[in-house]
Amino acid sequence: YARFFTKVLDDIDLLDGIREPFTNLTNQGMVLGEDGHKMSKSRGNGVSPRRIIEEYGADTARLFIMEAAQPEKEFAWSPEGVQSAHGFLRSVHDLATAFANGGIEAGETGTAAAYVKREIEATVAAATAEYDAFRFNHAVQSVRELVSLLGRYRRHTNPDPAVFERGIEATAKLLAPVAPHVAEEVWEILGHDGLIAEADWPTGEAPESYDVERRLIENTREDVRDIVDVAGIDDPERITIATAPAWKHDALELVLDLDADADVVGTVMQDEELRRRGEAAADFAKDLAAEAQSLSGKLPPEREREALKRAAWLIEREFDVAVEVRSAEEASDDLAGKAEPGRPGIEIEE
């Protein structure tokens, strides 16, 4: 109808040559019932929004639909999904209430606070980009991950109040387009005047090399889990993580500059400093040659160590164990020898 009226108005010279009211068209996907078929009156498999709203609220219904899939994709209606959306909104409300009422004891800034602060900024940047691209499900998923992180941060230590408040405020603003009622309540609980709908959209920028840093942390946590599972370690006493020596980073940078058909091992061993490493350099060069097609840049040694130290509390909390992050120079030769750029050496004591 909008297209029809636009053309009519232009035909009677009320518009200046405008024939289309929109620049893009998104065809929305279908909603599938629990039986796997498209919801329709003829099949009788529809779900009344009124029942969902009366039981869980309009925000829950809206959030579930928005995070189930991208607008143009089909998705299956799920009672469990509705309950999950409702539980998530309650957790956001509970975090804000606990913080505002003094139920979260304040702590000092530390490595955990630094990690959470970076994640907040990265989440704001990522969710904003996803909203702009109409990928609402991705935007909501990034906010879910932030809320989960804030919960773990609270349980791990007494959080830095400024960082924690920034996280809750960012969460409320990022949820406002899909859960406006809960967002407004959280905004009021935090003591703000006016409506969140009138507040500025949050701004944030992912730290430099954030994707590389996050991949490093995720891979390290996964490697720790694998070692614990394979070795059958029930109650680890200590976990030591060591970054790779600088010469391995130098070798990697050397290889990244090579053409696809270059002699990786020969090039590495032609470097005088690397050649002095002898067999260790030759073995590492062979590993690089085997992975030449998938190699990518890594953080420098010191920045890699800093990133791991900021994230060590996640491993400490998951395994209830002390975690120490060392440089290659501080670690044993055996542990440092196992470490590679982007893949630190890991030692777990029982």
Side-chain angles (χ1 to χ4, degrees):
Y1 290 112
R3 297 184 69 219
F4 171 80
F5 281 110
T6 299
K7 295 179 189 299
V8 170
L9 291 172
D10 187 52
D11 288 343
I12 60 177
D13 298 327
L14 292 179
L15 295 178
D16 187 17
I18 298 175
R19 303 294 294 175
E20 294 289 348
F22 314 113
T23 57
N24 293 292
L25 170 65
T26 298
N27 292 307
Q28 65 187 42
M30 298 295 181
V31 181
L32 306 181
E34 294 181 65
D35 56 2
H37 297 288
K38 181 183 74 172
M39 283 189 180
S40 65
K41 291 182 179 180
S42 61
R43 289 186 178 273
N45 62 347
V47 176
S48 170
R50 182 178 299 278
R51 178 171 62 82
I52 302 297
I53 292 171
E54 289 176 351
E55 185 173 357
Y56 297 105
D59 278 7
T60 292
R62 186 185 295 106
L63 177 65
F64 168 63
I65 293 172
M66 299 294 273
E67 73 171 332
Q70 292 176 218
E72 66 275 15
K73 304 292 184 181
E74 66 180 26
F75 74 93
W77 186 268
S78 162
E80 293 78 16
V82 175
Q83 293 166 8
S84 173
H86 184 66
F88 169 63
L89 292 178
R90 286 189 63 89
S91 67
V92 173
H93 189 277
D94 291 346
L95 272 181
T97 301
F99 178 79
N101 294 341
I104 300 178
E105 189 173 344
E108 297 180 358
T109 300
T111 54
Y115 177 85
V116 174
K117 183 177 180 179
R118 291 165 70 87
E119 290 297 311
I120 294 170
E121 302 309 310
T123 299
V124 169
T128 300
E130 298 295 358
Y131 274 128
D132 287 343
F134 292 90
R135 293 189 292 263
F136 307 119
N137 57 324
H138 293 172
V140 173
Q141 181 57 40
S142 65
V143 180
R144 271 188 179 267
E145 292 174 1
L146 175 59
V147 173
S148 175
L149 178 66
L150 291 174
R152 280 179 284 160
Y153 179 38
R154 172 193 179 185
R155 292 187 293 272
H156 175 73
T157 187
N158 295 333
D160 178 287
V163 172
F164 204 83
E165 184 173 19
R166 163 67 170 162
I168 300 175
E169 287 185 354
T171 295
K173 288 184 175 182
L174 294 174
L175 282 179
V178 293
H181 304 94
V182 172
E184 292 291 355
E185 282 197 33
V186 169
W187 192 245
E188 183 178 344
I189 288 170
L190 293 177
H192 293 287
D193 295 327
L195 299 174
I196 195 172
E198 299 172 333
D200 292 335
W201 184 256
T203 58
E205 185 175 350
E208 183 182 359
S209 302
Y210 172 77
D211 290 339
V212 178
E213 181 178 311
R214 186 167 190 178
R215 189 162 56 249
L216 164 71
I217 294 167
E218 290 176 351
N219 288 341
T220 302
R221 294 178 66 191
E222 187 61 34
D223 287 346
V224 171
R225 295 187 193 107
D226 288 343
I227 294 172
V228 169
D229 289 342
V230 172
I233 302 174
D234 295 325
D235 189 21
E237 290 287 334
R238 174 182 294 275
I239 297 177
T240 304
I241 299 173
T243 56
W247 68 264
K248 287 189 176 181
H249 286 266
D250 294 339
L252 174 62
E253 291 301 317
L254 190 64
V255 172
L256 288 174
D257 291 334
L258 297 178
D259 295 330
D261 57 349
D263 179 5
V264 173
V265 177
T267 302
V268 170
M269 298 311 291
Q270 286 176 4
D271 184 278
E272 181 178 352
E273 180 62 29
L274 294 174
R275 190 166 59 246
R276 289 172 51 195
R277 302 289 172 177
E279 188 175 339
D283 290 342
F284 185 56
K286 293 176 184 177
D287 292 339
L288 293 176
E291 302 173 5
Q293 300 303 315
S294 60
L295 291 176
S296 59
K298 310 296 181 183
L299 296 172
E302 187 54 36
R303 286 190 56 195
E304 187 170 296
R305 181 168 176 262
E306 290 173 358
L308 289 168
K309 289 184 72 173
R310 280 194 298 267
W313 69 277
L314 294 169
I315 300 175
E316 290 178 349
R317 172 154 190 84
E318 182 174 353
F319 295 97
D320 191 24
V321 64
V323 176
E324 184 176 1
V325 179
R326 298 178 180 177
S327 65
E329 294 74 22
E330 297 169 334
S332 65
D333 292 341
D334 180 58
L335 184 57
K338 298 176 183 176
E340 297 182 1
R343 213 85 194 210
I346 299 171
E347 182 179 76
I348 302 178
E349 300 174 29
E350 296 188 66

